[in-house]
Amino acid sequence: MVLNIRKTEMLPELAVFKEFIRSRGLRQTQERDTIVLEIFRNREHFDVDELFLRLLAQGKKISKASIYRTLPLLVDCGLIREVNYEDGHWHYEQIYGRPHHCHLRCSHCGAIVEFEEPLLAVIEKNLAQTYGYQITKHILEVHGCCPRCQPSPAAPNHEEHHV
Amino acid sequence: MVLNIRKTEMLPELAVFKEFIRSRGLRQTQERDTIVLEIFRNREHFDVDELFLRLLAQGKKISKASIYRTLPLLVDCGLIREVNYEDGHWHYEQIYGRPHHCHLRCSHCGAIVEFEEPLLAVIEKNLAQTYGYQITKHILEVHGCCPRCQPSPAAPNHEEHHV
DNA sequence: ATCATTGCAAAAGCTTTGCATAAGA
DNA sequence: TCTTATGCAAAGCTTTTGCAATGAT
């Protein structure tokens, strides 16, 4: 059976964004849509400068001010989130439609593994019982050395690592 | 039995710092010592501006530049660590001589509970086995609403909260 | 026709840095 | 004496903001 995908089919993230804009009485603009579409073209983490340059490389000259004004909207409607503040600026990731996950990062090459950890629910329940908090969320980031960056058994040189 | 504490007894953190300075061939200065002593006068989290003002309030005019130059040294020798980047600047905490712990924060009033969680060791072991990483550390921050900020059963007004 | 949004440039805030002076070793 | 560290002010970066022009409703 051939799937009949209409050309007008909209990226789900864009639909969510448009609905959010509407519900807040804000205005739908080309710039905002362009930013959303660019962010969701892939699943890589991103930062403001990178996003700005990606848009520019496609001839889409959207000011950084507009990007800085749009990102908080995307955070508010649950499409993206701040991952961390590193190298002097914020890094973001797409979260819409994805299960909650944590990051395992290689300190050497920066490789990132995303994982889901059921034990965190247990930890949250324990904390709620022990301290009476109503837990809303958690951020867990684990650091380590990935297999590729570890010294191989044959050549135990702890200095060399994959970059 | 009366403990005989000599007046020359040194704050352990200061001793660690002096040894670190010596081992690196750096110079021991009054400013650095003053900064270390002020940081370890209590266990509260702190930021640069706050530390600067605390020193100033005691008539100790140490430039922010010196503070900014000293904090990385304290991080390097394991006396303090960056907790998070919030409100546009870094926040630090003292970690020397304390067991590793995580933070449970109230989103309303900012109250912080520090807790130790043995399950994180399990999580780390699982990650190491699953992905082949050599784990070095983790950062877990849990957010929620503390008991004082939760609406009381008698007056179920979800807007009111303790500040 | 309104009024929110954009782009630009300026401003704001935190952090870093160049340089002359002060002070450890 | 020889350097390193300090303080000040300037610079560097990211992010925010004021304002005139543009564009959505």
Side-chain angles (χ1 to χ4, degrees):
Chain A
M1 176 185 168
V2 177
L3 290 176
N4 186 13
I5 306 282
R6 286 172 298 148
K7 285 200 171 180
T8 54
E9 201 77 39
M10 189 183 286
L11 185 77
E13 289 84 357
L14 185 55
V16 168
F17 181 63
K18 284 177 185 290
E19 170 56 22
F20 173 81
I21 287 295
R22 198 196 57 69
S23 73
R24 281 233 188 153
L26 303 176
R27 287 180 185 176
Q28 187 172 324
T29 68
Q30 287 196 346
E31 289 81 0
R32 285 173 174 166
D33 288 0
T34 302
I35 291 170
V36 172
L37 288 173
E38 181 55 38
I39 287 174
F40 286 96
R41 278 185 59 206
N42 66 44
R43 305 212 130 180
E44 304 300 314
H45 293 186
F46 66 95
D47 57 48
V48 169
D49 195 54
E50 194 183 308
L51 180 57
F52 173 74
L53 292 176
R54 267 162 58 188
L55 289 165
L56 203 59
Q58 299 171 44
K60 293 166 182 163
K61 294 177 190 170
I62 293 177
S63 73
K64 282 193 182 177
S66 290
I67 296 178
Y68 277 113
R69 284 166 174 140
T70 301
L71 292 187
L73 298 176
L74 300 186
V75 171
D76 284 356
C77 66
L79 287 174
I80 66 174
R81 77 171 180 92
E82 291 173 345
V83 176
N84 57 22
Y85 187 86
E86 211 171 271
D87 301 322
H89 58 267
W90 283 104
H91 295 253
Y92 299 84
E93 77 171 338
Q94 306 90 318
I95 56 172
Y96 180 75
R98 314 184 59 189
H100 172 71
H101 60 269
C102 306
H103 295 135
L104 170 58
R105 305 190 43 179
C106 175
S107 317
H108 292 276
C109 68
I112 293 183
V113 171
E114 300 184 342
F115 64 92
E116 297 174 47
E117 178 49 73
L119 282 178
L120 283 163
V122 178
I123 292 176
E124 285 195 0
K125 185 181 276 188
N126 288 347
L127 288 173
Q129 287 186 351
T130 308
Y131 302 107
Y133 274 56
Q134 288 178 337
I135 310 297
T136 52
K137 70 167 182 175
H138 64 253
I139 306 115
L140 171 62
E141 187 160 309
V142 184
H143 291 225
C145 187
C146 77
R148 293 197 56 181
C149 289
Q150 288 169 33
S152 56
N157 180 350
H158 279 253
E159 292 311 310
E160 83 185 323
H161 58 77
H162 162 69
V163 177
Chain B
M1 176 185 170
V2 176
L3 290 176
N4 187 12
I5 307 283
R6 287 173 298 149
K7 284 202 171 180
T8 56
E9 201 78 38
M10 189 184 285
L11 185 77
E13 289 83 357
L14 185 56
V16 168
F17 181 65
K18 284 177 184 290
E19 171 54 23
F20 173 82
I21 287 294
R22 198 195 57 69
S23 73
R24 281 232 187 153
L26 301 176
R27 286 179 185 173
Q28 187 173 323
T29 68
Q30 288 196 342
E31 288 81 0
R32 285 173 173 166
D33 288 359
T34 302
I35 290 169
V36 172
L37 288 173
E38 181 56 36
I39 288 174
F40 287 96
R41 277 184 61 205
N42 66 45
R43 305 212 131 179
E44 303 301 315
H45 293 187
F46 65 95
D47 57 47
V48 168
D49 195 55
E50 193 183 308
L51 180 57
F52 173 74
L53 291 176
R54 266 162 58 188
L55 288 164
L56 203 60
Q58 299 172 46
K60 293 165 181 165
K61 295 178 191 171
I62 293 177
S63 73
K64 281 192 181 177
S66 291
I67 296 178
Y68 277 113
R69 285 166 175 139
T70 301
L71 292 187
L73 298 177
L74 300 187
V75 171
D76 285 355
C77 67
L79 288 175
I80 66 175
R81 77 172 179 93
E82 290 173 344
V83 175
N84 57 20
Y85 187 86
E86 211 170 271
D87 301 321
H89 58 267
W90 283 104
H91 295 253
Y92 299 85
E93 77 170 340
Q94 306 91 319
I95 55 174
Y96 180 74
R98 313 184 60 189
H100 172 71
H101 60 270
C102 306
H103 294 136
L104 170 57
R105 304 190 42 180
C106 175
S107 316
H108 292 275
C109 67
I112 294 183
V113 171
E114 300 184 343
F115 64 92
E116 297 173 48
E117 178 49 75
L119 282 178
L120 283 163
V122 178
I123 292 176
E124 286 196 1
K125 185 181 276 186
N126 288 347
L127 288 172
Q129 286 186 352
T130 307
Y131 303 106
Y133 274 56
Q134 287 178 339
I135 311 297
T136 52
K137 70 166 181 176
H138 66 252
I139 307 115
L140 171 62
E141 188 160 307
V142 183
H143 290 225
C145 187
C146 77
R148 291 198 58 183
C149 289
Q150 289 169 33
S152 56
N157 179 351
H158 279 252
E159 291 311 309
E160 86 184 324
H161 57 76
H162 163 69
V163 175

XYZ file of all heavy atoms in Angstrom, chain A residues 80-113:
289
model
N 12.313 22.466 22.820
C 13.748 22.338 23.077
C 14.015 22.580 24.559
O 13.132 23.003 25.291
C 14.575 23.354 22.254
C 14.271 24.785 22.713
C 14.272 23.220 20.765
C 15.150 25.839 22.062
N 15.259 22.313 24.970
C 15.647 22.666 26.333
C 17.118 23.058 26.376
O 17.905 22.652 25.521
C 15.375 21.518 27.299
C 16.386 20.397 27.237
C 16.168 19.402 28.378
N 17.131 18.311 28.326
C 18.302 18.314 28.978
N 18.637 19.322 29.729
N 19.130 17.291 28.865
N 17.483 23.846 27.370
C 18.878 24.176 27.602
C 19.554 22.910 28.107
O 19.088 22.305 29.063
C 19.012 25.253 28.671
C 18.522 26.625 28.250
C 18.523 27.604 29.415
O 18.632 27.159 30.573
O 18.409 28.810 29.167
N 20.628 22.497 27.460
C 21.344 21.310 27.921
C 22.361 21.699 28.980
O 22.380 21.157 30.080
C 22.078 20.601 26.764
C 22.898 19.440 27.295
C 21.079 20.127 25.738
N 23.226 22.638 28.640
C 24.228 23.093 29.605
C 24.860 24.393 29.130
O 24.658 24.825 28.008
C 25.315 22.030 29.817
C 25.990 21.659 28.509
O 25.974 22.415 27.551
N 26.595 20.498 28.462
N 25.619 24.998 30.029
C 26.322 26.229 29.709
C 27.794 25.865 29.639
O 28.403 25.498 30.629
C 26.092 27.274 30.801
C 26.652 28.623 30.468
C 25.916 29.546 29.734
C 27.933 28.987 30.882
C 26.419 30.795 29.429
C 28.450 30.226 30.571
C 27.691 31.129 29.852
O 28.198 32.363 29.548
N 28.352 25.950 28.449
C 29.735 25.519 28.264
C 30.411 26.405 27.248
O 29.771 26.883 26.315
C 29.733 24.062 27.777
C 30.941 23.279 28.246
C 30.793 21.796 27.944
O 30.242 21.075 28.781
O 31.230 21.373 26.857
N 31.713 26.597 27.426
C 32.470 27.457 26.524
C 31.852 28.848 26.437
O 31.865 29.482 25.372
C 32.550 26.845 25.120
C 33.215 25.473 25.144
O 34.173 25.294 25.908
O 32.747 24.580 24.405
N 31.276 29.288 27.546
C 30.775 30.656 27.577
C 29.429 30.911 26.952
O 29.043 32.059 26.766
N 28.710 29.853 26.611
C 27.367 30.074 26.075
C 26.504 28.838 26.252
O 27.000 27.754 26.539
C 27.443 30.474 24.598
C 28.146 29.465 23.745
N 29.488 29.537 23.472
C 27.696 28.347 23.134
C 29.820 28.508 22.710
N 28.760 27.772 22.495
N 25.198 29.022 26.059
C 24.249 27.936 26.236
C 24.197 26.987 25.048
O 24.343 27.407 23.903
C 22.849 28.485 26.477
C 22.656 28.994 27.868
C 22.630 30.307 28.259
C 22.470 28.212 29.058
N 22.439 30.373 29.622
C 22.338 29.111 30.131
C 22.404 26.836 29.306
C 22.142 28.668 31.446
C 22.221 26.404 30.607
C 22.094 27.328 31.664
N 23.954 25.712 25.380
C 23.762 24.689 24.359
C 22.351 24.131 24.536
O 21.893 23.955 25.664
C 24.801 23.581 24.507
C 26.201 24.057 24.263
N 26.911 23.748 23.132
C 26.999 24.866 24.998
C 28.103 24.332 23.180
N 28.176 25.010 24.308
N 21.708 23.851 23.418
C 20.314 23.396 23.437
C 20.170 22.039 22.763
O 21.035 21.616 22.013
C 19.432 24.410 22.700
C 19.436 25.783 23.308
C 20.433 26.705 22.993
C 18.449 26.170 24.207
C 20.443 27.970 23.560
C 18.444 27.432 24.776
C 19.453 28.328 24.446
O 19.461 29.569 25.009
N 19.031 21.401 23.036
C 18.720 20.174 22.305
C 17.214 20.087 22.070
O 16.419 20.652 22.813
C 19.200 18.923 23.038
C 18.335 18.495 24.201
C 18.737 17.129 24.759
O 19.372 16.331 24.057
O 18.413 16.879 25.931
N 16.854 19.376 21.019
C 15.449 19.143 20.678
C 14.910 18.065 21.619
O 15.555 17.038 21.811
C 15.332 18.641 19.234
C 16.010 19.526 18.206
C 17.459 19.114 17.980
O 18.174 18.804 18.922
N 17.886 19.115 16.745
N 13.746 18.290 22.182
C 13.199 17.271 23.072
C 11.794 16.840 22.694
O 11.278 15.862 23.233
C 13.180 17.736 24.548
C 12.410 19.036 24.694
C 14.575 17.853 25.087
C 12.204 19.436 26.152
N 11.172 17.540 21.765
C 9.779 17.206 21.454
C 9.620 15.778 20.921
O 10.330 15.348 20.026
C 9.198 18.170 20.435
C 7.769 17.833 20.102
C 6.747 18.123 20.998
C 7.444 17.177 18.913
C 5.434 17.793 20.723
C 6.132 16.840 18.625
C 5.126 17.143 19.539
O 3.833 16.808 19.261
N 8.668 15.057 21.506
C 8.352 13.713 21.038
C 9.385 12.665 21.410
O 9.341 11.533 20.950
N 10.347 13.062 22.245
C 11.369 12.105 22.637
C 11.216 11.790 24.112
O 10.882 12.656 24.905
C 12.761 12.700 22.397
C 12.891 13.357 21.039
C 14.296 13.821 20.835
N 15.206 12.692 20.929
C 16.522 12.818 20.965
N 17.067 14.002 20.932
N 17.273 11.747 21.031
N 11.495 10.532 24.492
C 11.411 10.209 25.913
C 12.508 10.977 26.661
O 13.548 11.308 26.096
C 11.682 8.704 25.952
C 12.451 8.417 24.704
C 11.951 9.388 23.684
N 12.240 11.253 27.918
C 13.249 11.938 28.729
C 14.524 11.105 28.760
O 14.469 9.891 28.914
C 12.746 12.129 30.155
C 13.805 12.645 31.063
N 14.277 13.939 30.988
C 14.519 12.044 32.038
C 15.225 14.104 31.886
N 15.392 12.978 32.545
N 15.639 11.732 28.624
C 16.901 10.982 28.643
C 18.011 11.810 29.279
O 17.890 13.014 29.452
C 17.306 10.609 27.219
C 17.500 11.811 26.342
N 16.492 12.346 25.593
C 18.582 12.590 26.116
C 16.941 13.396 24.930
N 18.212 13.575 25.233
N 19.097 11.121 29.613
C 20.242 11.781 30.210
C 21.428 11.633 29.270
O 21.361 10.907 28.290
C 20.567 11.157 31.567
S 19.141 11.132 32.685
N 22.507 12.319 29.574
C 23.681 12.301 28.706
C 24.901 11.681 29.372
O 25.188 11.961 30.531
C 24.030 13.715 28.249
C 22.976 14.324 27.367
N 22.532 15.615 27.524
C 22.284 13.796 26.339
C 21.602 15.865 26.611
N 21.431 14.778 25.880
N 25.586 10.868 28.590
C 26.871 10.302 29.001
C 27.896 10.862 28.035
O 27.810 10.619 26.829
C 26.815 8.767 28.894
C 28.126 7.988 29.047
C 28.793 8.286 30.389
C 27.844 6.487 28.919
N 28.825 11.680 28.548
C 29.749 12.386 27.669
C 31.192 11.937 27.827
O 31.678 11.725 28.941
C 29.727 13.884 27.965
C 28.365 14.495 27.878
C 28.502 15.981 27.942
N 29.624 16.432 27.106
C 29.963 17.681 26.955
N 29.295 18.619 27.574
N 30.983 18.008 26.189
N 31.874 11.838 26.712
C 33.301 11.526 26.760
C 34.071 12.830 26.948
O 33.942 13.755 26.149
C 33.755 10.843 25.478
S 35.542 10.571 25.454
N 34.880 12.877 27.999
C 35.626 14.092 28.315
C 36.706 14.375 27.284
O 37.172 15.501 27.148
C 36.295 13.962 29.689
O 35.406 13.394 30.621
N 37.111 13.330 26.553
C 38.188 13.512 25.578
C 37.679 14.027 24.240
O 38.131 15.038 23.741
C 38.940 12.188 25.387
C 39.707 11.771 26.591
N 40.976 12.235 26.871
C 39.372 10.951 27.611
C 41.382 11.711 28.010
N 40.443 10.927 28.481
N 36.740 13.287 23.632
C 36.313 13.637 22.275
C 34.944 14.290 22.221
O 34.514 14.745 21.159
C 36.335 12.406 21.380
S 35.080 11.171 21.802
N 34.258 14.355 23.359
C 32.966 15.025 23.365
C 31.805 14.169 22.892
O 30.674 14.647 22.842
N 32.063 12.923 22.544
C 30.980 12.037 22.101
C 29.890 11.968 23.164
O 30.179 11.981 24.360
C 31.527 10.637 21.833
N 28.644 11.921 22.717
C 27.533 11.886 23.657
C 26.643 10.675 23.431
O 26.217 10.415 22.314
C 26.681 13.160 23.536
C 27.486 14.376 23.995
C 25.396 13.032 24.346
C 26.705 15.667 23.983
N 26.399 9.916 24.486
C 25.440 8.821 24.447
C 24.214 9.281 25.221
O 24.331 9.814 26.316
C 26.002 7.550 25.122
C 24.901 6.502 25.268
C 27.176 7.001 24.344
